[in-house]
Amino acid sequence: MALPLPPSLTPQEVAFLCEMELVTIIPRQKLQGLELLGGSTPVLNPPQRSDIPLWLALLLKRQRRANIVPPAWLHPTSLTAILEFETEHSKEAFSPPPKLPPLSDALHATSPPFLPSSTAEAPPDALPYHWLEMGEILLEAAPEDFEEPDHVRRLMRDLREVRMAKLRTGVEVLDAGGGVKMNGVGAMEIAEARAFIGGVIDGLRKIGASREQARREREAEERENGFLGTQDDEDDDMEL
Amino acid sequence: MDIDDILAEVSSAALIAPGTRDLHALTRAWVAERVAPELLPYPTPLLDRVLARISEQVRSVEDGMAGGADGLGGAATGGADKEKFRLIVVQTELERWKFLVRGLLRARLKKIDAHPYHILNTPDVLAKLSTSETQYLRAHQALLAAHYKSSFLGQFPPALQRLDDTAGGVSMIDAPDVDSAVFVRAVRDVGFITVEGTDTEFEMKRGDVWVVRWRSVRQAVESGDAELI
């Protein structure tokens, strides 16, 4: 039963990834630690805060067993500051992603969704990789845990529009070789733009394929000639 | 609890639990297989471990359910409720893992179905398949070939009956486009990446996200220095 989807991630799959991110909750009842496949969960002891994966937090929230603490970057003041940065200071590039933690284990470098970028202690001044999904999911599932959910919703929409506009104008720099740096881009933004950006780069490549092929052959020839050329010189020297 | 237990607990808190490691690796493998234009090597040790973990967890859920049914009469309602919730959480997580495994295998099946002759004719690619995938590929192609032959190919002139003809300058064998653009993120410093045939050359540092041809970053992805996103 093969998967009938083109190579990309659907928005649902991106949200599924986002649900693996850690969030901070305030439990409302005691719950023992659970031995799960992906490691054990902390003992929940109200009113002590704990960091657990979003999917589990949503489950607890739905059953009114916990409240979710929105990450610091989802606070209206942080969002306003990030929005200002996106519109005023960085007109072309996205605002930079949160700083990576130092590489403690060289063999096991973690990356989103397994970085603690949406817990209560997460930095307030940067949008993490899963910002759009995280914000939408939390606003949908736990609006009463926000102080001003409508304000946050409005800022999220503004941010999304500003960033989508950047993504669209960024298309102009695309060329056949690819090699476009997109630091700070979000997972959902990639999911949305993947088909278009990939299509443009692949299309340009196919248009320039014959020129590229010619260049590759010329370079190979030059390498060969260069090599032969030096050999000829040596031969000449020998004769002299 | 003696000192060894305490030490074990401290060091296991500092290190990442093996289950967590496998979850990270499985997630990365799933995303990579979903977005890569060609088949990636089958992660045999990882999937063996993951499948063993899943079946063990299924067994423990079944035991828990049997135990819950027995103890329901005697136990206080509060306790039974907690136990029920515990089982819900465990099962939810189990389904998430199963989804990852299924997604990974189905994405692979799609690629196997898309380029059967290319895989069969290229030993390097054939080596990326698991035993059951190879078995499936051969059996499926044998069935298809027999079906095509009996329904229409048999009536063609013998010279035109082949499905993998490469004569005449045009190959009938479709291969994946390894020059497709992919989104890639450096997990560690990767160094310089050059795109063959163009002027594009750049340095990839930890955390950088680039859109680039799959061919030029394939090695970095397979060595684990970069990941597809």
Side-chain angles (χ1 to χ4, degrees):
Chain A
M1 200 176 54
L3 202 65
L5 295 166
S8 64
L9 292 175
T10 62
Q12 289 85 351
E13 286 171 329
V14 175
F16 175 83
L17 279 175
C18 173
E19 283 174 0
M20 297 183 192
E21 289 237 9
L22 288 181
V23 291
T24 307
I25 58 155
I26 306 172
R28 292 162 75 166
Q29 53 179 238
K30 261 185 184 294
L31 190 71
Q32 283 179 341
L34 296 172
E35 283 302 321
L36 296 181
L37 289 168
S40 41
T41 61
V43 181
L44 301 183
N45 216 354
Q48 227 174 66
R49 293 181 172 200
S50 307
D51 293 346
I52 57 171
L54 178 60
W55 63 266
L56 180 56
L58 292 176
L59 207 64
L60 290 169
K61 174 75 197 170
R62 223 172 290 140
Q63 303 215 348
R64 298 171 191 284
R65 291 171 198 261
N67 286 76
I68 299 175
V69 184
W73 55 264
L74 255 178
H75 197 268
T77 20
S78 323
L79 286 177
T80 314
I82 297 170
L83 183 62
E84 196 195 313
F85 184 85
E86 292 264 7
T87 45
E88 303 297 328
H89 303 284
S90 168
K91 289 210 158 76
E92 273 156 24
F94 296 120
S95 60
K99 262 213 187 83
L100 290 165
L103 203 58
S104 54
D105 182 351
L107 280 174
H108 189 86
T110 36
S111 57
F114 301 111
L115 291 171
S117 52
S118 291
T119 57
E121 275 77 50
D125 54 352
L127 293 179
Y129 182 58
H130 284 291
W131 70 276
L132 185 58
E133 311 82 285
M134 178 62 79
E136 294 283 332
I137 291 175
L138 289 185
L139 281 170
E140 164 90 32
E144 62 274 17
D145 292 340
F146 286 84
E147 275 167 34
E148 307 163 80
D150 289 329
H151 192 189
V152 173
R153 229 173 251 137
R154 219 165 27 243
L155 285 166
M156 289 275 293
R157 200 161 50 225
D158 290 351
L159 264 174
R160 183 177 144 70
E161 273 168 21
V162 169
R163 289 167 61 97
M164 277 319 278
K166 284 183 190 176
L167 210 53
R168 277 193 292 269
T169 47
V171 170
E172 284 167 25
V173 305
L174 295 180
D175 73 353
V180 186
K181 193 173 183 178
M182 300 188 78
N183 284 13
V185 71
M188 205 54 100
E189 288 152 352
I190 294 184
E192 244 179 298
R194 189 195 308 270
F196 182 61
I197 292 182
V200 169
I201 295 180
D202 289 348
L204 286 170
R205 190 191 79 227
K206 278 167 195 155
I207 293 170
S210 56
R211 198 182 337 145
E212 207 177 290
Q213 184 63 31
R215 185 183 151 155
R216 238 179 262 186
E217 275 165 17
R218 195 175 65 237
E219 277 174 1
E221 209 170 285
E222 272 166 14
R223 267 201 299 278
E224 220 164 88
N225 282 350
F227 182 62
L228 288 175
T230 49
Q231 239 183 7
D232 284 347
D233 287 345
E234 274 171 19
D235 284 352
D236 289 346
D237 289 346
M238 295 278 269
E239 276 170 32
L240 281 167
Chain B
M1 195 189 232
D2 62 27
I3 186 77
D4 280 346
D5 286 68
I6 296 167
L7 279 179
E9 207 172 278
V10 168
S11 59
S12 70
L15 286 168
I16 306 169
T20 316
R21 253 169 215 270
D22 281 350
L23 176 62
H24 293 189
L26 181 63
T27 309
R28 204 174 271 178
W30 170 64
V31 174
E33 196 67 69
R34 279 289 275 120
V35 302
E38 65 169 348
L39 209 59
L40 301 174
Y42 184 82
T44 315
L46 172 69
L47 274 185
D48 285 353
R49 280 200 307 275
V50 165
L51 292 176
R53 272 181 216 288
I54 289 180
S55 52
E56 198 179 308
Q57 192 79 324
V58 168
R59 233 186 345 266
S60 95
V61 168
E62 280 166 359
D63 288 353
M65 283 218 256
D70 289 346
L72 212 61
T77 21
D81 181 51
K82 281 256 164 81
E83 176 59 20
K84 221 163 93 191
F85 183 67
R86 193 189 71 84
L87 279 175
I88 290 174
V89 173
V90 170
Q91 274 172 304
T92 309
E93 203 228 5
L94 198 58
E95 288 306 319
R96 292 179 67 86
W97 278 65
K98 283 190 190 164
F99 174 79
L100 284 174
V101 173
R102 250 195 325 257
L104 175 69
L105 295 179
R106 291 183 66 194
R108 294 179 62 83
L109 272 187
K110 179 191 158 76
K111 294 180 194 176
I112 293 171
D113 282 351
H115 308 291
Y117 291 106
H118 165 73
I119 298 172
L120 283 171
N121 292 339
T122 327
D124 284 353
V125 183
L126 198 58
K128 291 178 180 174
L129 268 61
S130 72
T131 331
S132 35
E133 282 169 344
T134 318
Q135 221 171 19
Y136 160 79
L137 172 61
R138 288 193 198 284
H140 187 213
Q141 282 314 305
L143 278 176
L144 271 184
H147 171 63
Y148 290 156
K149 194 160 174 85
S150 67
S151 51
F152 59 90
L153 275 180
Q155 292 159 32
F156 288 1
L160 298 177
Q161 285 187 4
R162 291 185 58 185
L163 288 168
D164 53 353
D165 208 344
T166 50
V170 181
S171 173
M172 280 177 74
I173 302 175
D174 261 350
D177 183 2
V178 291
D179 280 325
S180 309
V182 292
F183 284 75
V184 64
R185 174 170 50 211
V187 183
R188 288 182 278 269
D189 289 351
V190 174
F192 282 93
I193 299 281
T194 43
V195 182
E196 217 180 295
T198 64
D199 297 320
T200 313
E201 186 181 354
F202 57 87
E203 189 181 4
M204 223 165 129
K205 286 218 174 73
R206 179 167 175 242
D208 281 359
V209 175
W210 286 86
V211 187
V212 71
R213 286 187 196 174
W214 165 238
R215 190 204 295 266
S216 30
V217 287
R218 176 162 50 188
Q219 219 187 344
V221 170
E222 283 183 357
S223 70
D225 286 342
E227 63 176 343
L228 290 171
I229 52 173

